Amino acid sequence: MDTLYRTRRWLGRNLVVIVAIGVLAYMLLPNAVVALLSFNKPASRLSYDFEAFTLDNWLNPCAAGDMCAALATSFRIGFVVTLVATLLGTLMSFAMVRHRYRGQAATSVLIYLPMATPEVVMGSSLLTLFVAAGVPLGTVTVAIAHVMFCLSFVVVTVKARLTGLDPRLEQAAMDLYANEWETFRRVTLPLVAPGIAAAAMLSFALSFDDFVITNFNSGTTVTFPMYVWGSAQRGVPMQVNVVGTAMFAVALLVLTVGEARRRRAGRR
C-alpha cells in the first residue's frame, strides 16, 4: 500500500510532464521516420521498407532527377517572399500600433481574413485575378501569391511584439536627447528584432512548404512540394527524406542557438 501511495503521488506530481513528453514524442515520430528513411536503400522506388543502410542518399542528394532544381526554385521564392512580406508586414504593424485612423478595426479584420480563409479559396481567387489581368503564370505569380498569404502572419507576429513594448523606454531615450531616428535604431528596433526575426522565419517556412496556392498559380514552375507530389505517383526518391531531415535539423539548430543566447542574456 505504501508503494502504491508513493506511485500515485509521483504520478500526480509529474502527470503533466509525462503527457507533454508523450505528445511531443508523437509529434516528432514522423520526423524520426523521415530521418531513418534518409539512410535507406530500398529495393525499388515504390518500396518504403527499410532494406539496407546507406550514405549514398546524403552523398548524392541531387541524384533524384530534377529535385535540386525544384529545391533551388523553392529557396529563391522563399527568400524573396521573406524579404518582401517581412518588410511590408513590419511597416504595417508599426502603422497599426502607433497610429489611430478611421477604419482601423476593419483593417484588422482584413489582416486576419487570409489566415482564416482556406488555401483553396485564396489560390483559386488569385488565379482568377492573374488570368483576368493577363499576367502569365510562373515564378512571379507564385511569389506574389505567397506574399499575400504570408503578410498576415508577419503583421500578427510583429504587432504582438510591438503591443507588449514598454513606451517608457523610448520616452527615456528621448529625454536623454536622442532624436527619433536614434531612438528607433538603438531602442525600438533591437527590442522588436526578435519578433521580426520570428516573422521572417515563419514566412520562409510557409512559403517553402506551400503546395495548394502554388499549384493554382505556378504555371510551368515546379517547386519542391510540387516535385514531391508529382513523384509520389512513380515513387518518392529517398533524397526527399534527406531534404526533409536537413531542414528539420537546421530549424532545430536555429531554435537551440536562440534559446541558448536568450538564457545567456538572462543570466547576465
Side-chain angles (χ1 to χ4, degrees), residues 21 38 101 142 214 225 236 267:
I21 293 175
S38 67
Y101 51 90
V142 172
T214 305
V236 178
R267 286 195 297 267

Side-chain angles (χ1 to χ4, degrees), residues 139-228:
T139 304
V140 176
T141 54
V142 172
I144 295 174
H146 285 190
V147 169
M148 296 290 294
F149 176 66
C150 296
L151 196 59
S152 299
F153 292 91
V154 175
V155 172
V156 170
T157 305
V158 180
K159 186 179 177 182
R161 183 71 178 181
L162 280 172
T163 303
L165 189 64
D166 191 352
R168 291 176 297 181
L169 297 174
E170 296 173 308
Q171 295 169 4
M174 291 187 176
D175 288 341
L176 296 174
Y177 303 103
N179 56 34
E180 293 183 354
W181 168 245
E182 289 178 336
T183 302
F184 175 79
R185 183 170 60 89
R186 297 188 177 185
V187 178
T188 308
L189 187 59
L191 292 175
V192 183
I196 297 176
M201 289 187 289
L202 180 61
S203 296
F204 180 81
L206 291 172
S207 175
F208 185 87
D209 184 63
D210 184 76
F211 170 77
V212 177
I213 296 177
T214 305
N215 193 35
F216 275 101
N217 301 278
S218 61
T220 58
T221 301
V222 179
T223 61
F224 181 71
M226 294 186 64
Y227 172 84
V228 175

Side-chain angles (χ1 to χ4, degrees), residues 5-218:
Y5 175 73
R6 287 199 300 268
T7 303
R8 288 180 176 177
R9 287 195 60 185
W10 184 86
L11 288 175
R13 290 195 305 266
N14 300 281
L15 181 61
V16 175
V17 177
I18 294 173
V19 173
I21 293 175
V23 172
L24 185 62
Y26 176 76
M27 293 175 60
L28 294 179
L29 182 61
N31 300 94
V33 173
V34 169
L36 181 63
L37 290 178
S38 67
F39 298 98
N40 184 27
K41 186 178 182 180
S44 66
R45 295 187 63 174
L46 298 176
S47 174
Y48 293 94
D49 297 330
F50 194 89
E51 300 290 341
F53 180 86
T54 182
L55 293 175
D56 292 341
N57 301 327
W58 285 88
L59 297 176
N60 302 290
C62 294
D66 298 330
M67 189 194 73
C68 283
L71 185 63
T73 301
S74 289
F75 272 115
R76 287 196 300 268
I77 294 175
F79 282 126
V80 172
V81 170
T82 300
L83 291 175
V84 176
T86 304
L87 178 61
L88 293 179
T90 301
L91 295 176
M92 292 174 63
S93 301
F94 272 95
M96 295 175 66
V97 173
R98 297 298 176 85
H99 300 280
R100 295 292 178 264
Y101 51 90
R102 184 176 300 176
Q104 189 170 15
T107 303
S108 299
V109 173
L110 292 176
I111 290 296
Y112 284 100
L113 196 59
M115 300 174 62
T117 303
E119 291 190 28
V120 174
V121 176
M122 180 175 289
S124 59
S125 301
L126 289 170
L127 174 62
T128 304
L129 176 64
F130 292 139
V131 171
V135 179
L137 301 180
T139 304
V140 176
T141 54
V142 172
I144 295 174
H146 285 190
V147 169
M148 296 290 294
F149 176 66
C150 296
L151 196 59
S152 299
F153 292 91
V154 175
V155 172
V156 170
T157 305
V158 180
K159 186 179 177 182
R161 183 71 178 181
L162 280 172
T163 303
L165 189 64
D166 191 352
R168 291 176 297 181
L169 297 174
E170 296 173 308
Q171 295 169 4
M174 291 187 176
D175 288 341
L176 296 174
Y177 303 103
N179 56 34
E180 293 183 354
W181 168 245
E182 289 178 336
T183 302
F184 175 79
R185 183 170 60 89
R186 297 188 177 185
V187 178
T188 308
L189 187 59
L191 292 175
V192 183
I196 297 176
M201 289 187 289
L202 180 61
S203 296
F204 180 81
L206 291 172
S207 175
F208 185 87
D209 184 63
D210 184 76
F211 170 77
V212 177
I213 296 177
T214 305
N215 193 35
F216 275 101
N217 301 278
S218 61

